[in-house]
Amino acid sequence: MWEKVKRSLKDGASISVEKIEEYTKIGKLKVDEMAAKRKIERNFVDLGERVYELLVDQKGSEVPEDLVVKKCVDNVNSLKDELVQLEKNIKEVSERCEETSKGEEEEPGDA
């Protein structure tokens, strides 16, 4: 009986460590996601400021060819791609975490 209790405690501890690791990964990915969103916002602010400057200087027709504008657009596009990848990673880790949880729920009934 004591062996069964010890084994259950060890199994529970190992599952807890796995859960903590999975939730840590999700947390880190969410922090990365928020950072990417902030970078996108900063790029939009920079883009808006530059377009404003060009319009005030009566150079509105130069907006599509302006290097600062192009760089901001490129940055936003690459950051949006990064966000898509981060969201996929978050979904994958979350699904793994759910699968682990479902497996745990089934085990007690099996014992």
Side-chain angles (χ1 to χ4, degrees), residues 1-100:
M1 180 168 160
W2 284 112
E3 287 302 317
K4 190 174 184 180
V5 170
K6 284 186 350 185
R7 187 176 35 147
S8 293
L9 289 173
K10 286 181 183 180
D11 290 346
S14 110
I15 291 170
S16 295
V17 169
E18 289 174 18
K19 284 262 190 222
I20 290 169
E21 289 173 358
E22 289 171 347
Y23 286 121
T24 300
K25 286 178 188 175
I26 292 172
K28 184 187 178 315
L29 289 169
K30 290 207 179 241
V31 167
D32 292 345
E33 179 184 40
M34 289 173 47
K37 286 179 179 180
R38 279 194 304 268
K39 288 177 186 175
I40 289 172
E41 289 174 6
R42 274 190 249 125
N43 274 280
F44 277 134
V45 168
D46 293 345
L47 177 63
E49 287 175 359
R50 182 61 182 157
V51 169
Y52 174 80
E53 290 170 2
L54 291 171
L55 291 173
V56 167
D57 292 341
Q58 310 254 327
K59 298 178 183 178
S61 62
E62 297 177 19
V63 169
E65 300 304 316
D66 186 75
L67 293 177
V68 174
V69 170
K70 285 182 177 182
K71 183 178 179 187
C72 287
V73 170
D74 288 343
N75 287 344
V76 168
N77 288 335
S78 72
L79 287 165
K80 283 189 175 191
D81 290 341
E82 182 181 326
L83 270 178
V84 168
Q85 188 59 46
L86 285 168
E87 289 169 357
K88 284 181 185 177
N89 292 346
I90 290 169
K91 185 177 178 182
E92 288 173 8
V93 173
S94 295
E95 287 173 353
R96 270 188 268 142
C97 191
E98 287 176 16
E99 288 172 8
T100 304

